[in-house]
Amino acid sequence: MRYARVAVGGRAVWGRVGATEVELLSGSPIDGKPRVTGAVRRETAVWLPPVVPPVFYAVGMNYPRHIAHAGVPVPERPEVGYRANNALTGHGSPIVKPAGVEGRFEAEPELVAVIGRSLRHAGREEARAAVFGWTIGNDVSARAWQHQDRTFWRSKNSDTFKPMGPWIETDVDALAQTTTLRVNGAERASFPTGDMVFDPFDFLVEITRHITVHPGDVLWMGAEATCRIEPGDTVEVGISGIGVLSNPVQLEGNQP
Amino acid sequence: MRYARVAVGGRAVWGRVGATEVELLSGSPIDGKPRVTGAVRRETAVWLPPVVPPVFYAVGMNYPRHIAHAGVPVPERPEVGYRANNALTGHGSPIVKPAGVEGRFEAEPELVAVIGRSLRHAGREEARAAVFGWTIGNDVSARAWQHQDRTFWRSKNSDTFKPMGPWIETDVDALAQTTTLRVNGAERASFPTGDMVFDPFDFLVEITRHITVHPGDVLWMGAEATCRIEPGDTVEVGISGIGVLSNPVQLEGNQP
């Protein structure tokens, strides 16, 4: 099943995504069994981030080829970081490049696990069973700020820097897929989604030694490859079996 | 006015705190004008974190004496970091020291600004007007993990490591107060709350150059002094004009 959140009359409404329609739901499918309350045409839907997480976890270096390319040591244990909800934006919405940012402005295509139940002291199978579904993230990064600043606050968390969506797919073997990054239709990277140093379940086992994860929390799994994006581009992150997250890039101050 | 969230029949309910009672409210005073729906006795109230923020901002080194003591350079600009909501706990609830943690386990007494309205590209006066009120935080930190790990994930964000409360005070000149840290009733530190390198409004001006802050976001302002805490202790963070945040410390596995 594919679940999304769409904007209806200025409100965020959960939906179940079909071939031509998005059936509107009475509540979150993560928390219960919502009923169908209506429908909108899929091609005119306004997509929101499929969930606003209580905690937004993000993995850094987690793909062997990315680590080798960066020349950093392979992590010895799964250590997680964080991103911030203000930066989330939906499928189809613009990534706004700040007017003052210099240097490389890049896309990072990532698999995202969406947590479905509270979990503490989990084993691998419990961790697997606690994943509600999978979506796609683009960990947009301003490299100059990333190098200048003590934290990732503006380099990775400026408004619109975290496109996520278009929906949550509940029925997919997410680690057996292929992640593809395209700019203006041209392929810029393609890699096996599951070719990770530590997979999502490794992370959930380690995190929940000390931390309770909650329904709606998200875990972004890192990228094998990145590419430069510029205002005027359209950047697409595809994961087979899930979907394609597409966003135009605009320069701050040039939004319509 | 003092606003809190209390547990009533397993639910989180907003309240207005009086001398002997907490008047229960129909909704959040940050979002609107809730009506009174009942009351509980203040002395039996179960205090929750006064807000669960969309984004949990936290300042690191921000007090000149703390910076001098640590031997690090004085920050040249206000750079913010993040903490995670899973770690929040309320006034009176235990701080649980993980069984496996070694080294210094410490309390950090902090002023917390609670944001009341959406803000982007703010000037100082707009930033000041956007603060709904002030509360108290204890940025509990496991130093060995802080030094071993690439991020603050478990050193500062393990469950119960972020006591916040007991309430939000809306009518106080927060930067003109005194912060006091006590363990088992004995004063361990006392400092002028407002003796900061960058004050909350400096941070909000800088953050909102790139980021929209939202109602309910919190900004923890750092500490001038820390002290060691151990299971069996009761740690109190007081800020004059706001209140006292008190939490017992327990060893993991020894909770009642």
Side-chain angles (χ1 to χ4, degrees):
Chain A
M1 213 74 87
R2 291 177 168 173
Y3 294 104
R5 292 191 322 143
V6 294
V8 179
R11 290 189 310 125
V13 179
W14 278 93
R16 187 159 52 208
V17 183
T20 59
E21 288 196 329
V22 179
E23 291 180 309
L24 302 177
L25 302 176
S26 59
S28 165
I30 300 176
D31 300 329
K33 301 269 183 215
R35 63 184 197 286
V36 175
T37 62
V40 295
R41 287 178 60 213
R42 178 168 155 172
E43 65 187 31
T44 60
V46 177
W47 306 90
L48 301 173
V51 67
V52 177
V55 179
F56 185 160
Y57 297 97
V59 173
M61 293 284 172
N62 196 35
Y63 281 83
R65 280 181 54 194
H66 188 200
I67 291 165
H69 180 76
V72 298
V74 177
E76 293 177 4
R77 51 196 169 95
E79 286 191 80
V80 79
Y82 300 97
R83 301 286 183 272
N85 286 340
N86 69 285
L88 289 170
T89 194
H91 171 63
S93 292
I95 297 162
V96 178
K97 182 181 180 180
V101 75
E102 296 183 353
R104 294 182 73 85
F105 187 67
E106 295 196 316
E108 299 189 6
E110 306 204 1
L111 175 68
V112 178
V114 180
I115 305 302
R117 61 179 81 155
S118 292
L119 201 63
R120 181 77 201 269
H121 296 304
R124 268 187 76 81
E125 289 316 305
E126 285 173 285
R128 191 184 297 272
V131 173
F132 174 77
W134 304 89
T135 186
I136 303 168
N138 185 348
D139 189 14
V140 172
S141 304
R143 299 296 176 209
W145 285 346
Q146 194 173 337
H147 299 138
Q148 288 163 17
D149 296 350
R150 287 179 53 249
T151 75
F152 287 166
W153 74 279
R154 59 179 179 166
S155 63
K156 287 181 173 278
N157 296 297
S158 289
D159 285 352
T160 78
F161 276 25
K162 293 293 155 285
M164 181 166 69
W167 46 64
I168 302 165
E169 170 63 69
T170 61
D171 305 307
V172 62
D173 181 358
L175 299 180
Q177 306 303 316
T178 299
T179 302
T180 304
L181 176 61
R182 287 190 174 83
V183 176
N184 305 327
E187 184 176 306
R188 303 295 296 275
S190 181
F191 57 89
T193 307
D195 188 13
M196 300 171 178
V197 178
F198 298 108
D199 73 18
F201 317 120
D202 295 326
F203 270 93
L204 288 171
V205 168
E206 180 73 6
I207 291 169
T208 64
R209 290 177 62 195
H210 307 295
I211 284 168
T212 304
V213 297
H214 293 278
D217 283 352
V218 297
L219 175 61
W220 288 40
M221 289 307 305
E224 178 175 291
T226 68
C227 83
R228 200 152 178 166
I229 53 176
E230 291 298 341
D233 289 343
T234 294
V235 56
E236 291 178 331
V237 180
I239 300 182
S240 55
I242 302 178
V244 176
L245 170 66
S246 175
N247 299 87
V249 186
Q250 297 176 355
L251 187 64
E252 186 180 25
N254 282 9
Q255 294 101 289
Chain B
M1 213 74 85
R2 291 175 169 175
Y3 293 104
R5 291 189 324 142
V6 295
V8 179
R11 290 190 310 122
V13 179
W14 278 93
R16 187 161 48 209
V17 183
T20 60
E21 288 195 328
V22 179
E23 292 180 309
L24 303 177
L25 301 176
S26 60
S28 165
I30 300 175
D31 300 330
K33 300 268 184 218
R35 64 185 194 286
V36 176
T37 62
V40 295
R41 285 177 59 213
R42 177 169 157 172
E43 64 187 33
T44 60
V46 177
W47 306 92
L48 301 174
V51 66
V52 177
V55 179
F56 185 159
Y57 297 97
V59 173
M61 294 284 173
N62 196 36
Y63 282 82
R65 279 181 53 195
H66 188 199
I67 291 165
H69 180 74
V72 297
V74 178
E76 293 178 1
R77 52 199 168 91
E79 285 191 80
V80 80
Y82 301 97
R83 302 286 183 269
N85 286 340
N86 68 284
L88 289 171
T89 195
H91 170 64
S93 293
I95 297 163
V96 179
K97 182 181 180 181
V101 76
E102 298 182 352
R104 295 183 71 85
F105 188 66
E106 296 196 316
E108 299 188 6
E110 306 203 0
L111 175 68
V112 178
V114 180
I115 305 302
R117 60 178 81 155
S118 292
L119 201 63
R120 181 78 202 266
H121 297 304
R124 267 187 77 82
E125 288 316 306
E126 285 172 286
R128 191 183 297 271
V131 173
F132 174 77
W134 305 89
T135 186
I136 301 169
N138 185 348
D139 189 14
V140 173
S141 304
R143 300 294 177 210
W145 286 348
Q146 194 173 338
H147 299 138
Q148 287 162 18
D149 297 349
R150 288 179 53 248
T151 74
F152 287 165
W153 74 279
R154 59 178 178 165
S155 62
K156 286 180 173 276
N157 296 295
S158 288
D159 286 352
T160 77
F161 277 25
K162 293 291 154 289
M164 181 166 69
W167 46 64
I168 302 165
E169 171 63 69
T170 61
D171 304 305
V172 61
D173 181 358
L175 299 180
Q177 306 303 318
T178 299
T179 301
T180 305
L181 176 61
R182 287 190 174 84
V183 176
N184 305 326
E187 184 175 308
R188 304 294 297 275
S190 180
F191 57 89
T193 308
D195 188 13
M196 300 170 178
V197 178
F198 297 109
D199 73 19
F201 317 119
D202 295 327
F203 270 92
L204 288 171
V205 168
E206 180 71 7
I207 291 170
T208 65
R209 289 177 62 196
H210 307 296
I211 284 168
T212 305
V213 297
H214 294 278
D217 283 352
V218 296
L219 176 60
W220 289 39
M221 290 307 304
E224 179 176 290
T226 69
C227 82
R228 201 154 179 165
I229 53 177
E230 291 299 341
D233 289 344
T234 293
V235 55
E236 292 177 330
V237 180
I239 300 182
S240 55
I242 302 179
V244 176
L245 170 67
S246 174
N247 299 88
V249 185
Q250 298 177 356
L251 187 64
E252 187 181 24
N254 283 10
Q255 295 103 286

